[in-house]
């Protein structure tokens, strides 16, 4: 066999290293009997032999790996230099001989398609579509050899370099093969998706078709026909005005030609051909076991498959439960305002902690399902119950109004109701649970004493922590992990009824306050003041404590400079060498003692905590130290308290002046007291939960360290990629033979999922259930949900991680989401814009307390709003508007 050539018929799924993603996929299709044009592959060995002739190649790879994917000018400079050197290299003689021998064996008189096939291409999590070059209708040995060489060089186009850099691929690890196939001269060609790439629906096939070669569709030269084929065979057609076609020339190469007027608005593919194409698409999807993006051509009365790759834009689906019902999934990450991927151990802890849907002791909830390394609530059962459906839509709507409406939309659909059955035990369980929930909320609204509410909940949290500590301490080995599992099982319901339900009372009280103010006074102008300086809010207390730390840094240049660029590794004692450093260290240690179990993304137990890495706090401390004056943060909080008390007095006085004013004022005073007290306790649930996580983390780390010492794990961090059950079995000596491979696979899967954007609400068919976005008449204005009133203008600072923040006074924070770990930044900014959130989520509550205008629920805000641009945030209308420079 030639050293540098492999026939397509001999390639398979294990050929990626030699043939690249495209070549391997075509080999699989060929072996499966699919209609793939004949051809051969010039392997990556030939590419390696070719680029070895570049003397400066190692230096170029170093430069490529150092590139910032957003620095387009730098990418262009390196790309031009490298392509220039490679373009001067001749094809090695032995490679040249093998290519020509294969070409003669395939038929010198034919024309060929010469297509790049990278080893990082057509993968399940990265398509690399269109990043390297393709040459069509190539005839003669000179054209063939030149096309192969140009394909090799195209691995370093600017777009390919930037794409690899953005996805984290090392450039030196990606090689290029070249696929050479007999040219198909089609009447029509295009692309077929075996799942709808826009809606995500797995049972809908979407076909784009145009006349001539498919290059017109792939490159966007023409508006193609669109055929949507539903699961029941229904075809929806949108026939485009196809003005151009790409056609082969007799002498080789291709040309763009005008389509005759009479053919432009006619269907490019006949109904019979559409039916055959769809059947073929389903066969290919079944063969690969995943939805496919397929390039096809219709020639000589039959369909030819030119390429098939996974649709990488689809969000993965949870494991099917085994029944035929349409299921509905709501994002736990959106509910918790943390949409990042979660490691397997973190997922296992959360599913064990969730109190509903347990089938066995120490088991994980079946009502929380996993997809794309995220958790989703399975809302199917509650949505089949009339009572819980209404309550669920309202509860979800309080976090995100559009999703609340979408929940009702999918519940009312014919597809969802198709398998709906009355279930007495389900209805009884749901109604009992709802009755207990409503009873507790009504009690809080009507008669529970608010004066002792905080002390009671503080005592509950203290008891819970003490009990969990006692339950988990002292265990060793499998018994230690089993104790953690038992405790996780028992604490969830107590937290729900004691700390979660008061938030239901807060939402109900606020809704009643607004409604009664409108009915009795005709306006709600004083209501916004009720959100400020809420009593007992642990997140606000933490923000004030950050301000205290910033006061110790303010005016001390050496300490400020140290915090801006801390040494690696950082130790607390390294602060003592600085002027005033010892005093700051002592205050920081006190802060860590109280809040060290917190961190960004803290619901994931595997995240690095502030106690592990205090440097994560420094950006927030520095941002506060560079703005304002000593003590200003506390003075502002006290001033807001006074304003709120005055506003409450004004509101009650206005009500007393109305007909039946005294009893009305008494009702309003009660509702205000309930709202401010219970809303002030909103963060207690999260605070207690992450405090429990801190207890469990110590036990888990202890056992992970023992496994590492025993040589079962390479490092304690490997434990992040197993479930609690699996960890317990490992500690008990049940070590699977493929443990190392399993950990590598899970780590790779997690890394691949990190870049995915999870949907808020979707179905088991993959369909993303959404409501239309609000529109605005003015161009460029983004519309979201208003959650904190007021208007501000300033410089947008797009921040993806709080520890990377570089803020100045008057900046507007733009982020995907915020959790309590972002609180240190809030007192520095003038406004807040978030992709994820609702009226009662953390960022909205704290923004209202601090009087910061805030808008949430703007999809892709961190991409649409450019860092450094000036914007106007209207937290009353819910709009974000660019300001002319």
């Amino acid at each position: 066999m030639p050293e540098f050539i492999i026939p397509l018929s001999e390639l398979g799924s294990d050929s990626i290293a030699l043939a690249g993603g495209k070549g391997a996929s075509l080999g699989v299709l060929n072996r499966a009997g699919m209609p793939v044009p004949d051809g051969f592959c010039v392997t990556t060995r030939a590419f390696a032999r070719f680029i070895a002739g570049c003397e400066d190649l190692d230096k170029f790879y170093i430069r490529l790996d150092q590139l910032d994917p957003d620095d387009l000018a730098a990418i262009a400079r390196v790309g031009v230099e490298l392509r220039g050197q490679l373009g001067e290299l001749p094809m090695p003689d032995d490679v040249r001989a093998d290519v020509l021998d294969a070409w003669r064996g395939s038929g010198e008189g034919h024309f060929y398609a010469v297509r790049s096939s990278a080893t990082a291409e057509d993968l399940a999590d990265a398509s690399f579509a269109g990043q390297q070059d393709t040459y069509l209708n190539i005839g003669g040995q000179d054209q063939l050899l030149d096309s192969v060489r140009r394909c090799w060089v195209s691995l370093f186009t600017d777009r390919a370099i930037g794409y690899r850099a953005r996805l984290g691929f090392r450039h030196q690890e990606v090689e290029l093969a070249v696929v050479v196939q007999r040219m198909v001269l089609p009447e029509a060609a295009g692309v077929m998706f075996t799942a709808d790439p826009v809606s995500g629906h797995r049972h809908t096939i979407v076909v784009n078709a145009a006349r001539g070669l498919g290059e017109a569709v792939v490159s966007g030269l023409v508006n193609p026909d669109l055929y949507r084929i539903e699961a029941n065979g229904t075809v929806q057609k949108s026939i485009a005005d196809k003005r151009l076609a790409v056609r082969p020339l007799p002498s080789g190469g291709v040309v763009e030609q005008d389509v005759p007027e009479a053919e432009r608005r006619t269907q490019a593919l006949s109904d019979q051909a559409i039916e055959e194409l769809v059947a073929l698409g389903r066969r290919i999807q079944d063969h690969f076991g995943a939805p496919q993006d397929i390039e096809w051509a219709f020639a000589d009365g039959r369909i030819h498959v030119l390429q098939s790759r996974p649709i990488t834009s689809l969000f993965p689906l949870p494991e099917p439960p085994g029944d035929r019902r349409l299921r509905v999934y709501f994002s736990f990450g959106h509910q918790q305002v943390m949409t990042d991927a979660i490691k397997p151990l973190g997922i296992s802890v959360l599913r064990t902690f969730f109190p509903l849907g347990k089938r066995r002791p120490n088991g994980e909830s079946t009502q929380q399902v996993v997809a794309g390394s995220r958790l989703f609530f399975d809302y199917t059962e509650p949505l089949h119950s009339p009572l819980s459906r209404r309550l669920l839509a309202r509860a979800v709507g309080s976090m995100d109004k559009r999703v609340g409406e979408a929940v009702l939309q999918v519940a009312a659909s014919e597809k969802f109701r198709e398998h709906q059955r009355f279930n007495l035990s389900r209805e009884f369980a749901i109604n009992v649970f709802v009755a207990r929930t409503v009873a507790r909320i009504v009690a809080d609204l009507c008669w529970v004493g608010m004066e002792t509410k905080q002390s009671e909940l503080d005592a509950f949290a203290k008891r819970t922590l003490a009990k969990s500590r006692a339950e988990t301490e002292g265990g060793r080995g499998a018994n230690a992990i089993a104790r953690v599992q038992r405790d996780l099982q028992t604490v969830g319901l107590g937290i729900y009824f004691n700390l979660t339900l008061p938030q239901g009372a807060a939402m109900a009280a606020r809704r009643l306050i607004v409604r009664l103010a409108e009915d009795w006074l005709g306006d709600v102008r004083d209501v916004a003041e009720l959100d400020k300086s809420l009593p007992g809010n642990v997140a606000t207390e933490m923000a004030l404590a950050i301000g205290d730390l910033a006061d110790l840094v303010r005016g001390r240049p050496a300490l400020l400079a140290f915090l801006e660029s801390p040494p690696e590794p950082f130790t607390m004692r390294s602060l003592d060498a600085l002027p005033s450093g010892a005093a700051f260290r002592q205050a920081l240690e006190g802060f860590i003692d109280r809040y060290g179990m917190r961190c960004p993304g803290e619901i994931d137990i595997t995240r690095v905590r502030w106690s592990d890495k205090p440097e994560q706090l420094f950006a927030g401390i520095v941002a506060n130290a560079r703005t304002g004056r000593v003590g200003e943060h506390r003075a502002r909080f006290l001033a807001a308290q006074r304003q709120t008390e005055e506003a409450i007095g004004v509101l009650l006085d206005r009500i007393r002046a109305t007909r039946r004013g005294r009893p009305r004022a008494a009702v309003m005073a009660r509702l205000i007291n309930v709202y401010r007290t219970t809303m002030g306790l909103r963060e207690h649930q999260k605070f207690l939960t992450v405090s429990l996580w801190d207890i469990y983390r110590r036990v888990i780390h202890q056992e992970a360290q023992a496994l590492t010492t025993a040589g079962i794990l390479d490092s304690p961090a490997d434990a992040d990629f197993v479930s609690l059950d699996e960890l317990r079995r490992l500690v008990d000596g049940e070590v699977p033979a493929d443990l190392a491979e399993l950990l590598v696979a899970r780590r790779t899967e997690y890394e691949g999922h990190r870049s995915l954007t999870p949907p808020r609400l979707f179905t088991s068919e993959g369909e993303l259930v959404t409501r239309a976005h609000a529109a605005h008449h003015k161009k460029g204005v983004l519309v979201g949900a208003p959650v904190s009133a007021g208007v501000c203008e300033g410089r947008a600072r797009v921040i993806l991680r709080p520890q990377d923040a570089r803020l100045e006074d008057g900046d507007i924070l733009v982020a995907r989401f915020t959790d309590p770990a972002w609180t240190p930044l809030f007192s520095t900014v003038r406004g807040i814009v978030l992709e994820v959130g609702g009226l009662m989520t953390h960022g909205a509550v704290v923004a209202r307390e601090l009087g910061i205008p805030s808008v949430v629920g703007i999809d892709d805000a961190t991409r649409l709003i450019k860092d450094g641009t000036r914007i106007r945030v209207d937290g009353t209308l819910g709009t974000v508007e660019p300001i002319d420079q």
Side-chain angles (χ1 to χ4, degrees), residues 65-183:
D65 286 334
Q66 293 173 343
L67 286 170
D68 179 346
D70 294 320
D71 191 345
L72 302 183
I75 289 173
R77 284 195 298 271
V78 178
V80 165
E81 290 181 43
L82 179 52
R83 292 193 300 274
Q85 288 204 21
L86 293 177
E88 298 296 323
L89 295 179
M91 182 180 290
D93 290 341
D94 48 355
V95 175
R96 185 177 186 276
D98 277 2
V99 171
L100 291 179
D101 284 347
W103 168 66
R104 294 186 187 104
S106 294
E108 299 177 37
H110 294 287
F111 286 90
Y112 289 86
V114 181
R115 310 165 75 198
S116 303
S117 178
T119 53
E121 181 177 276
D122 296 354
L123 306 178
D125 54 357
S127 71
F128 281 80
Q131 301 305 310
Q132 288 81 223
D133 288 349
T134 288
Y135 299 95
L136 300 176
N137 205 40
I138 300 303
Q141 72 174 37
D142 291 340
Q143 281 191 5
L144 174 67
L145 294 172
D146 183 58
S147 297
V148 170
R149 192 167 59 84
R150 289 163 69 187
C151 281
W152 287 333
V153 175
S154 75
L155 185 65
F156 303 102
T157 61
D158 295 353
R159 63 181 182 272
I161 292 170
Y163 190 89
R164 289 194 296 272
R166 185 160 282 105
L167 291 185
F169 284 86
R170 292 194 67 235
H171 299 273
Q172 195 165 2
E173 294 174 355
V174 180
E175 296 183 301
L176 195 82
V178 179
V179 173
V180 180
Q181 286 178 283
R182 288 250 188 116
M183 189 69 191

Side-chain angles (χ1 to χ4, degrees), residues 510 528 531-532 785-792 830-832 838-839 843-856 873-878:
R510 197 178 199 283
D531 298 316
K532 296 180 180 178
V787 294
S788 183
V791 179
C792 67
R830 185 174 293 173
I832 299 172
L839 190 65
V845 173
V846 178
R848 289 197 297 270
E849 281 200 40
L850 300 177
I852 304 171
S854 183
V855 178
V856 303
V873 176
D874 191 323
T876 305
L877 296 177

Side-chain angles (χ1 to χ4, degrees), residues 397-560:
S398 71
M399 292 177 280
D400 188 321
K401 184 179 179 182
R402 285 190 296 124
V403 176
E405 295 170 347
V407 165
L408 292 177
Q409 171 186 309
V410 71
S413 69
E414 183 179 341
K415 181 78 172 178
F416 184 76
R417 297 163 66 92
E418 182 180 351
H419 297 287
Q420 186 169 328
R421 298 288 185 272
F422 180 79
N423 184 311
L424 182 61
S425 61
R426 178 193 68 206
E427 291 299 318
F428 179 76
I430 287 174
N431 279 273
V432 168
F433 187 78
V434 168
R436 290 182 65 189
T437 297
V438 171
R440 291 295 293 268
I441 291 174
V442 170
D444 276 341
L445 281 173
C446 298
W447 62 78
V448 170
M450 291 293 116
E451 295 73 18
T452 59
K453 190 74 171 176
Q454 180 172 345
S455 60
E456 289 171 359
L457 295 189
D458 285 342
F460 165 77
K462 190 174 180 179
R463 288 195 308 272
T464 301
L465 287 172
K467 181 176 177 296
S468 295
R469 226 175 256 113
E471 171 66 26
T472 56
E473 281 180 355
R476 287 292 181 271
N479 177 256
I481 304 302
R483 288 186 178 198
V484 168
Q485 289 177 293
R486 279 197 303 272
D487 200 62
L488 277 164
Q489 286 276 351
T490 59
V491 296
L493 274 177
I495 290 175
Y496 174 77
F497 281 108
N498 287 278
L499 296 179
T500 306
L501 285 190
Q503 304 318 302
M507 289 187 283
R510 197 178 199 283
R511 202 172 287 121
L512 286 169
I513 289 168
V514 170
R515 182 180 298 176
L516 294 177
E518 288 174 338
D519 289 347
W520 296 342
L521 301 174
D523 63 67
V524 292
R525 66 173 184 256
D526 297 315
V527 171
E529 295 296 322
L530 304 181
D531 298 316
K532 296 180 180 178
S533 299
L534 295 170
N537 189 322
V538 292
T540 304
E541 291 169 359
M542 187 173 71
L544 294 172
I546 285 286
D548 295 341
L549 289 172
D551 282 349
L552 297 175
V553 176
R554 191 176 276 108
R556 293 174 172 84
L559 188 52
L560 193 64

Side-chain angles (χ1 to χ4, degrees), residues 318-323 325 327-330 347-348 350-371 375-382 489:
E319 286 292 324
D323 59 30
R325 286 190 301 173
R327 307 193 80 85
V328 182
Y329 305 116
F330 174 62
I347 285 174
S348 179
L350 286 164
R351 293 184 75 197
T352 308
F353 176 69
F354 189 66
L356 304 178
K358 303 293 180 62
R359 290 181 178 169
R360 62 181 178 83
N362 299 340
E364 298 181 5
S365 170
T366 57
Q367 280 190 243
Q368 282 191 319
V369 297
V370 184
L375 275 174
F376 294 84
F377 294 111
D378 185 343
Y379 277 170
T380 308
E381 291 292 346
Q489 286 276 351

